[in-house]
Amino acid sequence: SHAFHSPRMDAMLGDFRKVVEELTFASPAIALVSNVTGQPAGADEVCSAEYWVRHVREAVRFADGVRALEAQGVTRFVEVGPDGVLTAMARDCVADRPEGTAEPVLVPVLRKDRPEARALTTALAELQVGGVAVDWERIFAGRGARKVELPTYAFQRERYWLEALTSFASDVTAVGLVPPTHPLLGAAVELPDADGFLFTSRLSPQTDPWLVDHMVQDTVLLPGTAFLELALHAADQVGCDRVEELTLTAPLPLPERGAVHLQLAVGGPDENGTRSLNVYSRLEDSTMEQPWTQHASGLLSRSGTQDDTGRADLAVWPPEGAEWIDTEDVYDRMAAGGFAYGPVFQGLRSVWIRGDEVFAEVRLPEENASEAGRFGLHPALLDAAVQAVMFVPQEEAGLARLPFSWTGVSLRATGASELRVRLGSLGPDSIGLTVADTSGRTVATVDSLVLRLVAEGQIQSAGSPAAGHDSLFRLDWTPVPVGAPAPASEGTWAVLGTDDLGVRSGFEAAGADVTAYADLAALRGAIDSGATPPDVVMVAGAAAAVGIDDGADLAGRVRGATYRALELVRTWVTDDRFDDSYLVFVTRGAMGARSSEEVRTPAEAAVWGLVRSAQTEHPGKFLLVDLDPEEHGDASEVLRAALTAEEPQVAVRDGRVLAARLARVAPAEDRPEPETTPLDTSGTVLITGGTGGLGALLARHLVVEHGARHLVLTSRRGAEAPG
């Protein structure tokens, strides 16, 4: 490919103009939106040689063009090309359309990985579905196609599509784990040193689609009843029968795409047989560098009483003397308060009140009832029971709340899909709960449940700005494990150039045999004369360590340093003498590896940028090491340690070897306010590239937001720039 639409094309514009001027132009037969201006183009404009010269050089205004078409009332876009790249881009351009407008149809006619005839036919079918009249008889003429009759009755809407997998089940016993016995868990392992257990899981809306129906403040949230269900299951697995307490410390939002990893850590028993329970999660990430968040903590115990599954005084139903309450609008009221529950979590069927007691009947939807047998107590069913707290006479009654702390929970029966529930107030924000089946036999008892109101904006979706950006990252320098460095006397070493950082003397003091060469040509000559190619060749102080404030010709030093490094890299990768050698660039202060650290030597930083590019093309040939600018002693040990880190780029700070990693940018409210210097509006602001689109936006911002009054806008085209 070529660097179209960039300054790289400037050298050929004159010749290109001469060629185009010899062409004959004709007015377009259909309306045309220009990629140069992003607006409809007239015949005079596109029939000039200057327009096509601009087309080669200037930016592609694709988004503006698509929006211009949308403004003209265009609702169907067809990409005529070898793939669907532009279709995806156009879809992003029309994403922010006014509410109530029809969704546009965007169709590529070809896809690079599909047969052309099938792709084109599929595209025409999509256009027909989108309202375009397609002449199918002409398309299928001579191909033996025929019409078939559609059913004369309405479709029965019975699904036959294969459903997505609801789990990623595999033989976990092959890796020494216990297979899952719960739909929300993936595996378990016993921890012999602490007599504890670890339960693991992977949760996502794709594998557990029913969780999508638990929507709080526009966020899919793992329900508090799911934490309790998991705690009850863990208790059963470790020989306990009671959740003594379970406090939810942080909500667990589920991402729209991807998943979260969940862990339940159960501690060893104390003298009474009580075990601790902690629940953690983190976003799924192939690097496994996401931090763990604790969501719940509690205690599991043995009740020491006989299992009593007798009557719970709920055999008579509806309860005698209880007043029936209309619940027709209950979910509308909850949605208005931010609890937009879907069908699975809309299980509250009937409610009665008798004094301070509330009785409720809850039931899973018919299509989900069969799933109840896989759980001890289905979280959606118990959540529906808790929803009846809206009718308990308390302060701020009528408002939906979320579970915060469970106390004294025992499960007496499993697999229920329909329940009778009794709730009673225990305090301003706590209730007691008794759960029975349809015959009145006890299913579960909850001594106390504390609930909390949810403030607006309190729940943040996974990857949201408040939870940490999912698409905005920064470069972070983190410690990496290093091995014990081999003795300096092992291996062969060489140093090129002036060695301003004293690398050679440090290695020699550590017992290494180091040979110095003026440049790479001298090293090549020595090898040709019989010397053994060194294992490691170090270039120390490649930019003479000149800082920003040293009063030198900084720009000239940057050019000189990068030119010398480029020649060195080019020669190194093309010379088979160095096939088994490692070239190490050693700098000091070229990277701002600490959060408050500035780049001390920008010329060396430029060398880092160049060598980083070379590393992507020739992995395993180069190493970049930036030494601590505050330390000026012997660097031989940290350099040898850096060689064991198996990282292409490292920085040494406070004696630790750091490597660059991408990290999510923290929410704005969690970042310290940067120190800024007010703009001196009495002076003159110089904006290079100021006549382009970004330059004009910056100029307008400086005038409107900062009160700048004197601006000089420069560019290559100067006064000839458009606008």
Side-chain angles (χ1 to χ4, degrees):
S1 183
H2 301 283
F4 294 113
H5 315 293
S6 78
R8 293 289 184 182
M9 306 306 297
D10 290 345
M12 57 79 70
L13 293 181
D15 294 337
F16 182 72
R17 181 181 285 103
K18 292 178 182 178
V19 173
V20 177
E21 286 175 344
E22 297 177 359
L23 301 178
T24 301
F25 296 95
S27 299
I30 60 176
L32 174 69
V33 171
S34 168
N35 267 342
V36 177
T37 64
Q39 297 295 326
D44 293 341
E45 182 178 5
V46 299
C47 291
S48 68
E50 186 61 30
Y51 172 82
W52 296 104
V53 172
R54 291 176 58 199
H55 199 286
V56 170
R57 170 62 181 83
E58 295 184 10
V60 177
R61 305 289 291 271
F62 181 77
D64 292 338
V66 172
R67 294 186 182 115
L69 289 168
E70 192 177 26
Q72 298 273 343
V74 174
T75 58
R76 303 178 185 93
F77 299 81
V78 179
E79 178 179 353
V80 181
D83 201 4
V85 175
L86 296 180
T87 298
M89 294 170 58
R91 185 171 287 110
D92 290 339
C93 296
V94 298
D96 298 329
R97 59 186 182 277
E99 187 176 354
T101 59
E103 183 172 352
V105 178
L106 301 101
V107 179
V109 297
L110 295 177
R111 302 303 294 266
K112 67 178 182 180
D113 55 349
R114 301 175 191 175
E116 292 185 359
R118 179 183 298 176
L120 178 58
T121 304
T122 301
L124 292 171
E126 291 184 25
L127 288 171
Q128 166 122 4
V129 173
V132 176
V134 177
D135 190 347
W136 291 106
E137 292 189 0
R138 290 185 60 188
I139 293 171
F140 289 113
R143 297 170 61 183
R146 62 184 179 84
K147 291 182 178 180
V148 296
E149 295 293 332
L150 289 176
T152 57
Y153 56 88
F155 287 109
Q156 294 178 339
R157 305 296 180 187
E158 186 172 351
R159 288 179 55 84
Y160 292 95
W161 293 106
L162 296 175
E163 298 292 345
L165 288 175
T166 57
S167 67
F168 290 94
S170 60
D171 183 13
V172 297
T173 59
V175 291
L177 302 177
V178 179
T181 57
H182 193 279
L184 291 180
L185 293 175
V189 62
E190 188 173 358
L191 306 176
D193 60 335
D195 197 14
F197 291 81
L198 180 67
F199 301 87
T200 67
S201 178
R202 179 186 184 275
L203 300 178
S204 81
Q206 287 72 45
T207 57
D208 303 285
W210 61 274
L211 290 174
V212 176
D213 283 357
H214 193 260
M215 185 80 70
V216 180
Q217 294 184 357
D218 299 323
T219 300
V220 177
L221 207 64
L222 187 71
T225 52
F227 285 103
L228 179 63
E229 164 69 11
L230 289 170
L232 288 167
H233 176 79
D236 179 67
Q237 295 296 298
V238 301
C240 298
D241 61 0
R242 178 180 172 91
V243 175
E244 198 63 43
E245 59 181 64
L246 181 67
T247 300
L248 308 184
T249 55
L252 174 50
L254 300 179
E256 293 183 8
R257 298 181 297 275
V260 295
H261 291 179
L262 191 73
Q263 288 192 356
L264 283 75
V266 180
D270 62 12
E271 61 275 9
N272 299 317
T274 301
R275 296 174 179 265
S276 64
L277 170 69
N278 291 284
V279 183
Y280 306 90
S281 84
R282 70 177 178 186
L283 282 172
E284 186 173 65
D285 184 356
S286 60
T287 66
M288 299 185 69
E289 293 183 354
Q290 290 296 317
W292 288 96
T293 299
Q294 183 173 7
H295 296 280
S297 62
L299 296 173
L300 311 179
S301 67
R302 299 172 182 169
S303 63
T305 60
Q306 294 289 330
D307 182 19
D308 179 14
T309 56
R311 303 290 177 181
D313 296 331
L314 297 177
V316 178
W317 200 259
E320 294 181 353
E323 177 185 359
W324 177 80
I325 301 297
D326 185 7
T327 59
E328 184 176 357
D329 65 342
V330 64
Y331 288 106
D332 291 335
R333 289 159 53 193
M334 294 179 69
F339 292 73
Y341 288 162
V344 178
F345 283 84
Q346 293 183 6
L348 187 60
R349 307 302 178 187
S350 301
V351 173
W352 297 264
I353 292 181
R354 184 177 64 192
D356 292 337
E357 293 179 303
V358 172
F359 301 88
E361 185 175 280
V362 297
R363 183 170 62 251
L364 287 173
E366 183 177 349
E367 57 269 26
N368 300 102
S370 60
E371 299 177 6
R374 304 172 61 208
F375 296 85
L377 183 53
H378 197 295
L381 190 64
L382 182 56
D383 191 277
V386 174
Q387 293 166 15
V389 73
M390 295 178 61
F391 302 95
V392 175
Q394 290 178 317
E395 295 181 12
E396 301 181 284
L399 298 179
R401 310 169 188 221
L402 288 179
F404 171 68
S405 178
W406 306 83
T407 302
V409 182
S410 297
L411 184 64
R412 304 301 186 189
T414 63
S417 62
E418 186 173 354
L419 298 173
R420 298 174 180 178
V421 186
R422 180 175 62 206
L423 302 90
S425 176
L426 300 178
D429 55 3
S430 62
I431 60 171
L433 191 67
T434 301
V435 181
D437 62 17
T438 53
S439 68
R441 296 183 66 85
T442 302
V443 170
T445 58
V446 179
D447 291 349
S448 173
L449 168 59
V450 178
L451 299 112
R452 292 282 190 265
L453 294 173
V454 182
E456 184 176 357
Q458 181 178 342
I459 306 298
Q460 300 293 340
S461 60
S464 70
H469 293 284
D470 198 30
S471 57
L472 185 59
F473 296 83
R474 59 181 173 82
L475 194 64
D476 198 9
W477 291 89
T478 60
V480 293
V482 296
S489 58
E490 296 184 6
T492 54
W493 310 84
V495 174
L496 298 184
T498 58
D499 189 17
D500 297 322
L501 302 182
V503 171
R504 180 185 180 186
S505 60
F507 270 79
E508 288 178 336
D513 183 13
V514 185
T515 305
Y517 298 94
D519 51 30
L520 193 60
L523 174 57
R524 294 164 69 185
I527 295 174
D528 291 340
S529 298
T532 302
D535 297 322
V536 178
V537 178
M538 294 173 285
V539 183
V546 175
I548 294 175
D549 301 322
D550 288 352
D553 177 15
L554 181 59
R557 288 185 177 274
V558 169
R559 287 193 295 269
T562 52
Y563 177 78
R564 290 191 297 273
L566 177 61
E567 289 302 310
L568 178 58
V569 167
R570 281 176 171 171
T571 304
W572 186 269
V573 299
T574 57
D575 195 326
D576 56 10
R577 298 178 183 88
F578 308 117
D579 285 348
D580 298 323
S581 301
Y582 206 29
L583 184 59
V584 181
F585 289 84
V586 185
T587 61
R588 174 172 279 131
M591 293 287 106
R594 297 187 182 95
S595 59
S596 59
E597 189 175 67
E598 294 182 350
V599 172
R600 304 287 186 87
T601 53
E604 291 190 325
V607 172
W608 266 66
L610 184 145
V611 178
R612 276 173 168 166
S613 297
Q615 287 175 329
T616 62
E617 299 179 10
H618 304 279
K621 300 291 290 184
F622 308 104
L623 171 65
L624 286 162
V625 181
D626 190 56
L627 300 179
D628 194 334
E630 304 299 333
E631 299 288 340
H632 295 274
D634 176 22
S636 64
E637 185 174 357
V638 293
L639 282 174
R640 286 182 286 123
L643 288 169
T644 70
E646 298 184 354
E647 294 281 345
Q649 305 144 25
V650 297
V652 179
R653 296 295 185 270
D654 300 323
R656 299 183 301 169
V657 177
L658 314 177
R661 296 288 187 266
L662 284 179
R664 283 181 170 81
V665 172
E669 58 268 23
D670 293 343
R671 297 196 303 271
E673 191 70 25
E675 296 182 3
T676 58
T677 302
L679 181 68
D680 182 7
T681 57
S682 64
T684 300
V685 179
L686 172 64
I687 303 178
T688 59
T691 61
L694 291 177
L697 289 173
L698 177 58
R700 185 177 297 110
H701 173 77
L702 291 174
V703 172
V704 174
E705 300 295 334
H706 298 280
R709 292 294 176 264
H710 305 285
L711 299 94
V712 176
L713 311 182
T714 65
S715 68
R716 291 183 304 99
R717 302 183 64 181
E720 297 180 359

